Amino acid sequence: MFLCFQGVGDVSGQGPYIAGITNRNTNLGIRGFMLFSIGVFLALVLNLLQVQRNVTLFPPDVISSIFSSAWWVPPCCGTASAMIGLLYPCIDSRLGEPHKFKREWSSVMRCVAVFVGINHASAKVDFANNVQLSLTLAALSIGLWWTFDRSRSGFGLGVVIALLATLSTQLLVYNGVFQYTSPDFLYIRSWLPCIFFAGVITMGNIGRQLALYECKRMSGKTHQD
């Protein structure tokens, strides 16, 4: 994504160069804000699915159900989403491996829908034991990566960030910030790393698509100039 700005402006002239840097930082801030907003929205929606799993029609107290989680959860999810969404295209650029697999918004929306489905399945689908549930969600999460990503960098970042998020959650639960019902993997549920991995892949896809859109828009402006 950052390669798109190499041809913007004349570096020998400080005016165009500074304008290009300012424009890049502005676009980066806009993308970060959009990713943060998407992360907050998904956190609220997924929390609603967890809390209201047996409700078909929206009850009168649905608004209170949306905000029934701790106030810090949506901002934390939004911040993590922004960091992940900005990191993925940056890593692609550093590795010199632009991600071109299924680069359209329809694919991104399907990825989001599958992620929401995986999260909902973790709360709604009944299995004989937690091992079966964890293995099923792991297969679905890897299937999501294979269907919408297939990049080595995407898989590696997904695994690393999922492990870090799992460790952070373990520490939060250990210190009494919140708790899980029926924990089976130390202090948390064993399927949680799968949800983290699927979430990382999803936000990475959104971040890549936003960066691609920005790249095409800036390239169009350069050609017009």
Side-chain angles (χ1 to χ4, degrees):
M1 167 263 164
F2 294 104
L3 299 177
C4 298
F5 296 98
Q6 291 179 354
V8 179
D10 181 10
V11 179
S12 61
Q14 290 299 317
Y17 175 71
I18 295 176
I21 295 297
T22 303
N23 194 27
R24 183 177 65 182
N25 291 336
T26 301
N27 291 332
L28 192 66
I30 293 174
R31 280 197 289 128
F33 176 77
M34 293 178 65
L35 290 165
F36 175 85
S37 301
I38 294 172
V40 170
F41 175 75
L42 287 177
L44 294 175
V45 170
L46 296 178
N47 179 70
L48 176 63
L49 292 177
Q50 294 280 343
V51 175
Q52 298 290 338
R53 47 176 287 193
N54 295 321
V55 176
T56 302
L57 299 176
F58 286 101
D61 59 344
V62 67
I63 300 299
S64 62
S65 297
I66 294 178
F67 297 99
S68 60
S69 62
W71 66 268
W72 50 268
V73 173
C76 287
C77 292
T79 302
S81 298
M83 294 175 62
I84 294 168
L86 294 176
L87 181 62
Y88 262 69
C90 180
I91 294 297
D92 292 338
S93 176
R94 296 296 182 183
L95 294 177
E97 300 177 354
H99 188 260
K100 299 179 180 179
F101 181 71
K102 291 189 176 181
R103 291 293 86 210
E104 62 273 346
W105 280 111
S106 59
S107 176
V108 173
M109 295 306 296
R110 288 194 295 269
C111 182
V112 173
V114 173
F115 168 60
V116 173
I118 292 176
N119 192 288
H120 194 36
S122 67
K124 188 175 182 62
V125 179
D126 294 325
F127 285 83
N129 53 63
N130 287 326
V131 175
Q132 291 184 3
L133 175 59
S134 299
L135 292 177
T136 301
L137 293 181
L140 290 174
S141 299
I142 295 176
L144 181 142
W145 166 80
W146 179 256
T147 304
F148 300 104
D149 191 313
R150 295 192 186 182
S151 66
R152 291 175 297 177
S153 59
F155 185 86
L157 281 174
V159 171
V160 171
I161 296 176
L163 291 176
L164 292 176
T166 301
L167 177 60
S168 300
T169 305
Q170 294 274 20
L171 293 176
L172 290 174
V173 176
Y174 176 78
N175 287 284
V177 177
F178 65 98
Q179 62 181 2
Y180 282 91
T181 57
S182 305
D184 59 314
F185 178 47
L186 297 180
Y187 303 102
I188 63 175
R189 303 295 295 271
S190 57
W191 45 259
L192 192 60
C194 305
I195 301 297
F196 285 144
F197 177 82
V200 171
I201 298 300
T202 301
M203 293 310 304
N205 269 336
I206 296 175
R208 281 169 166 165
Q209 191 64 27
L210 289 174
L212 179 63
Y213 173 77
E214 177 186 320
C215 180
K216 290 181 177 180
R217 186 169 61 86
M218 294 301 298
S219 297
K221 285 185 177 181
T222 302
H223 293 152
Q224 290 177 0
D225 295 340

